[in-house]
């Protein structure tokens, strides 16, 4: 709620950040041979919360226009989503006896 209030008129950009982040995550998964990431972040409500927070941080610290803020936020967030799943993959695989999935948050 605080980021929604802090973003004010920029709150409408959150969905664009989410779309850029999801696209970045998909691209990194498609290029998994090179990026070593193999998971797609599918938790929508958490993704929106992440998008709000990262967008606010980028606007607050970098003070760029809307398009640049959305692109920076989305690309950073997509990279974080991709690698956050990879970090815990081996542990989840051990706990689930090789079920072949991972968690992201």
């Amino acid at each position: 709620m605080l980021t929604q209030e802090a973003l004010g008129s920029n709150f409408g950009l959150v969905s664009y950040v989410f779309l850029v982040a999801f696209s970045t995550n998909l691209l990194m998964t498609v290029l998994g041979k090179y990026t070593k990431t193999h998971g797609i972040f599918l938790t929508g409500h958490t993704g929106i919360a992440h998008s709000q927070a990262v967008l606010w941080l980028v606007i607050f610290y970098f003070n760029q226009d809307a398009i640049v803020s959305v692109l920076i936020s989305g690309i950073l967030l997509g990279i974080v989503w991709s690698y956050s799943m990879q970090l815990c993959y081996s542990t989840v695989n051990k706990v689930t006896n090789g079920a072949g999935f991972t968690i992201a948050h």
Side-chain angles (χ1 to χ4, degrees), residues 6-56:
L7 285 171
S9 63
N10 290 322
F11 184 72
L13 300 175
V14 170
S15 59
Y16 295 117
V17 172
F18 181 84
L19 290 174
V20 171
F22 190 72
S23 299
T24 302
N25 182 218
L26 285 175
L27 180 64
M28 290 186 69
T29 302
V30 168
L31 299 173
K33 178 179 177 182
Y34 307 105
T35 63
K36 306 295 185 216
T37 61
H38 304 287
I40 299 172
F41 190 87
L42 294 175
T43 311
H45 65 289
T46 304
I48 294 295
H50 292 170
S51 298
Q52 285 177 288
V54 173
L55 178 62
W56 178 82

Side-chain angles (χ1 to χ4, degrees), residues 63-84:
N63 199 21
Q64 297 292 322
D65 67 338
I67 294 173
V68 173
S69 296
V70 165
L71 290 175
I72 291 171
S73 302
I75 291 169
L76 286 174
L77 195 54
I79 291 169
V80 167
W81 287 348
S82 295
Y83 285 112
S84 68

Side-chain angles (χ1 to χ4, degrees), residues 2-4 29 40 43 50 59 64 75 91 93 102-103:
L2 291 175
T3 55
Q4 185 175 356
T29 302
I40 299 172
T43 311
H50 292 170
I59 288 174
Q64 297 292 322
I75 291 169
T91 304
N93 210 24
T102 188
I103 57 174

Side-chain angles (χ1 to χ4, degrees), residues 88-103:
C88 58
Y89 178 76
S90 61
T91 304
V92 172
N93 210 24
K94 286 178 189 175
V95 170
T96 61
N97 293 323
F101 71 92
T102 188
I103 57 174

